[in-house]
Amino acid sequence: MESAGSSVGAESHQAAVAHWTPDGEVLPHSGVPSEDAVIEAIATVHDPEIPVNIYELGLIYAIDLHDDGRVKVEMTLTAPNCPSAQELPVQVREAIEKVKDVTSAEVDVVWDPPWDMSRMSDEARLALNMF
């Protein structure tokens, strides 16, 4: 006869088992994604017209990390008519989804406040010779 404690333990163990999908094995979620890891992933995305990553350009306004592994990002573009307006948010989402413990990513493009050069990091200003 099983005690209630061992039954709960078995259920917990079962919930932690990885499962298989057509894309491969999915490991169980283990916690909130690392903000540093999410920022590193975002920093791999570059505007094709500017040789600086979008994080250093100051295009990321907010990063919200949730306990269930969801990540929500608010970003902007250098201008509303930016030729990369369609592809940059998709690239950001795809980069974030590769981070450990991320279960999903949502990227919203916002226009308020408008981006200006004061949002750029010192590294970005140096790389673009804008000091």
Side-chain angles (χ1 to χ4, degrees):
M1 181 179 239
E2 252 182 302
S3 71
S6 63
S7 169
V8 171
E11 289 172 11
S12 296
H13 176 70
Q14 187 175 20
V17 174
H19 64 278
W20 186 88
T21 69
D23 294 327
E25 187 176 34
V26 176
L27 299 175
H29 173 70
S30 62
V32 178
S34 158
E35 183 176 23
D36 290 339
V38 170
I39 290 170
E40 284 179 29
I42 292 169
T44 66
V45 179
H46 289 74
D47 184 320
E49 297 180 342
I50 305 171
V52 175
N53 74 66
I54 65 167
Y55 188 80
E56 296 297 330
L57 280 175
L59 298 181
I60 303 300
Y61 284 178
I63 300 172
D64 295 325
L65 306 172
H66 298 271
D67 291 341
D68 61 0
R70 290 178 297 122
V71 177
K72 182 173 182 190
V73 171
E74 287 184 2
M75 69 173 287
T76 194
L77 303 169
T78 54
N81 58 351
C82 173
S84 300
Q86 299 299 315
E87 60 198 55
L88 284 177
V90 172
Q91 290 175 357
V92 170
R93 180 181 50 79
E94 290 173 349
I96 294 169
E97 287 176 340
K98 294 176 184 175
V99 173
K100 181 180 183 272
D101 293 327
V102 170
T103 57
S104 68
E106 177 184 345
V107 178
D108 293 331
V109 176
V110 297
W111 300 106
D112 189 32
W115 180 86
D116 63 53
M117 289 189 276
S118 70
R119 297 184 174 276
M120 293 172 31
S121 70
D122 289 343
E123 291 83 7
R125 291 173 191 272
L126 184 61
L128 297 173
N129 202 22
M130 298 181 90
F131 271 104

